[in-house]
Amino acid sequence: QAKAAGRNIFRFFDEAMHAQLVERRHLLALLRGALERDELRLHYQPQIDLHTGTVIGAEALIRWQHPELGMVSPARFIPIAEESGLIVPIGTWVMREACRQAKAWQDAGLPHFVVAVNLSAVQFRRPDFCQTVANTLADTGLPPGCLELELTESLLINDADGVLETVRQLKALGLQLSIDDFGTGYSSLAYLKRFDVDKLKIDQSFVRDMDRDADSAALVLAIVQMAHSLGLKTIAEGVEHDHLAAVLRGLNCDEAQGYHFARPMPAADIEGWLRSAVATRMGR
Ligand code: C2E
Ligand code: MG
Ligand code: MG
Ligand code: MG
């Protein structure tokens, strides 16, 4: 009987894995034409300077609106795009669209608005990646200092030599680099010494629990102090309540983003939001 149960468990896993495979293959087939069919959009989530309460920029977050599937979350389709290599054309489109939009905002009177773009390791490891970034900046006319690229810890740790050279070239272009989801990847901090990054994005898992859990608050404080002593800035992700913003300000965290300030929104909604945000001095 135990054997039969074991077989059933295996069959169960088999079927679940098969279903997952079929669903991934289906998504991949639909994703292949998504760019051409104009189904991809960028939403933007404002980032706030915690000390002055002003808006300093926005993170571009990709959205896939499929006519039948509806809105597909990036958590679902980015891994598929990475595995298939589709992330390369998609990522190039994201960067170009984000830079174009940021330039348009600057031309409309937002002089120092920085746009942050998420990068996949697959894009980053392409030999022509830096050239793509340089071309994008040149074509859109966005000042390099107004583009921030979000890297991940795992990207910096694998294949450190090629990565080191790429990071050097990106910094030479004059753009900003941040580390996304900081604290959730490998615990080695050695790479902070090797790589010339500008900002740590403190992962939302630490931020969310801060007011209930002393350990999370201690970690956030430690990250902020370490960052500052290395000359880096910090931004807290996932700030959902005003008391979290107050605690972060007390811990001397520089910047924040999260539902408390604004949800990610279409570019067209940003200007209206900015007007109301400036009027109410967001975050103070
Ligand atoms: P991420 O870069 O860490 O982005 C933060 C995620 O947290 C976003 O989810 C954002 O909508 C969400 N978020 C923001 N504020 C709050 C908050 O207060 N509470 C909570 N619970 N969540 C908040 P989203 O847009 O679903 O993106 C998920 C992930 O997908 C991103 O995590 C990023 O890793 C990836 N991603 C998004 N756009 C791109 C892209 O253009 N390229 C690549 N390679 N990855 C992307
Ligand atoms: Mg990000
Ligand atoms: Mg993050
Ligand atoms: Mg992430």
Side-chain angles (χ1 to χ4, degrees), residues 40-44 60-63 93-94 97-98 265-267:
L40 300 180
R41 294 281 178 278
L42 292 183
H43 282 191
Y44 296 86
L61 294 156
I62 196 168
R63 298 291 178 258
W93 174 82
V94 168
E97 176 57 17
M265 59 187 114

Side-chain angles (χ1 to χ4, degrees), residues 3 10 23 75 126 128 132 174 178 180 200 207 221:
K3 251 187 200 162
F10 278 119
E23 123 113 7
R126 299 267 301 189
D128 57 354
T132 304
S178 61
D180 205 355
L200 304 183
V207 176
L221 177 62

Side-chain angles (χ1 to χ4, degrees), residues 45 59 62-63 74 94 118 180-181 204 237-238 240 258-259 264:
Q45 185 176 39
E59 177 176 2
I62 196 168
R63 298 291 178 258
V94 168
N118 290 283
D180 205 355
D181 307 332
Q204 29 186 299
E237 300 188 85
E240 295 188 359
Y259 295 166

